[in-house]
């Protein structure tokens, strides 16, 4: 480190003679092999990709929104499914209270099959699985719409907080 580097006007070492960014022959070979591999993969396109039916394919959020009270919105969201992949879910959002009821398929690519429900509190950033479920998407939507109607009927005018028992005791469908 303490040695002085001597500046000369002589020729550059072999590995730098091809240009400013060229490297040793070994590195050049590795880069060429990587580029060749990438070119081969580019040709494969979407051959390995398969389609899957999701909640977004089978639920019309606009039609559901017409069946919910004004303060509620219905939308799709994408969440992680376990530790593996993403899945499309249906969210019923109560805007004044910042509370969500999330409808999630038990099997990622079977949105019309068994359903789980989650309650999400956006003010606290918490989401928990409810102890209820449904055998089908149709039963799940009927249940959620009935709960929303019940909530509106019982608690209209009592503030923006959801009552403690709203997502409480389990019920079977």
């Amino acid at each position: 480190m303490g040695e002085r580097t001597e500046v000369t006007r002589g020729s550059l070492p072999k590995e730098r003679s091809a240009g400013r960014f060229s490297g040793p022959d070994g590195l050049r070979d590795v880069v060429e092999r990587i580029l060749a591999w990438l070119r081969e993969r580019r040709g494969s396109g979407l051959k390995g990709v398969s389609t899957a039916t999701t909640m977004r394919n089978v639920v019309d959020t606009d039609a559901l929104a017409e069946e919910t009270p004004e303060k509620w919105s219905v939308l799709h969201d994408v969440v992680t499914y376990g530790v593996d992949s993403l899945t499309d879910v249906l969210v019923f959002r109560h805007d004044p209270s910042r509370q969500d009821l999330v409808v999630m398929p038990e099997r990622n690519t079977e949105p019309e099959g068994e359903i789980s429900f989650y309650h999400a509190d956006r003010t606290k950033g918490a989401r928990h699985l409810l102890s209820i479920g449904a055998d089908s998407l149709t039963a799940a939507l009927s249940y959620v719409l009935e709960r929303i109607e019940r909530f509106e009927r019982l608690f209209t005018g009592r503030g923006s907080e959801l009552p403690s028992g709203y997502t409480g005791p389990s019920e079977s469908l």
Side-chain angles (χ1 to χ4, degrees):
M1 202 155 123
E3 295 179 15
R4 186 168 176 230
T5 305
E6 200 172 307
V7 179
T8 64
R9 294 184 181 256
S11 63
L12 293 171
K14 182 180 179 195
E15 66 267 8
R16 294 193 56 205
S17 63
R20 181 173 175 206
F21 297 108
S22 64
D25 290 336
L27 179 59
R28 199 174 295 119
D29 182 51
V30 170
V31 170
E32 286 175 7
R33 285 188 291 148
I34 290 172
L35 288 173
W37 178 77
L38 288 171
R39 284 185 198 105
E40 287 175 21
R41 294 200 35 97
R42 186 176 11 175
S44 66
L46 298 175
K47 292 176 190 169
V49 175
S50 62
T51 59
T53 302
T54 66
M55 193 74 77
R56 201 171 298 256
N57 301 116
V58 296
V59 175
D60 181 358
T61 55
D62 294 333
L64 273 176
E66 290 177 12
E67 295 185 42
T68 59
E70 263 183 51
K71 296 176 185 175
W72 290 83
S73 55
V74 183
L75 52 128
H76 290 282
D77 197 4
V78 177
V79 299
T80 55
Y81 187 81
V83 293
D84 296 326
S85 59
L86 299 174
T87 191
D88 198 39
V89 297
L90 192 60
V91 178
F92 290 83
R93 178 165 289 163
H94 185 250
D95 295 317
S97 67
R98 299 183 46 84
Q99 306 290 313
D100 295 343
L101 290 174
V102 180
V103 176
M104 181 173 168
E106 286 284 330
R107 284 172 209 80
N108 194 10
T109 58
E110 294 180 26
E112 296 180 277
E114 294 179 30
I115 301 292
S116 293
F117 297 97
Y118 288 83
H119 169 246
D121 184 341
R122 289 180 289 133
T123 58
K124 297 177 183 173
R127 179 176 66 196
H128 67 273
L129 177 65
L130 300 179
S131 58
I132 55 173
D135 292 334
S136 69
L137 179 60
T138 303
L141 295 177
S142 295
Y143 172 79
V144 169
L145 291 172
E146 184 273 322
R147 292 297 281 192
I148 288 171
E149 181 182 320
R150 181 176 170 208
F151 170 79
E152 289 296 317
R153 197 173 52 246
L154 293 174
F155 299 101
T156 298
R158 294 188 184 184
S160 64
E161 293 292 319
L162 284 174
S164 60
Y166 181 62
T167 57
S170 71
E171 296 179 18
S172 58
L173 296 176

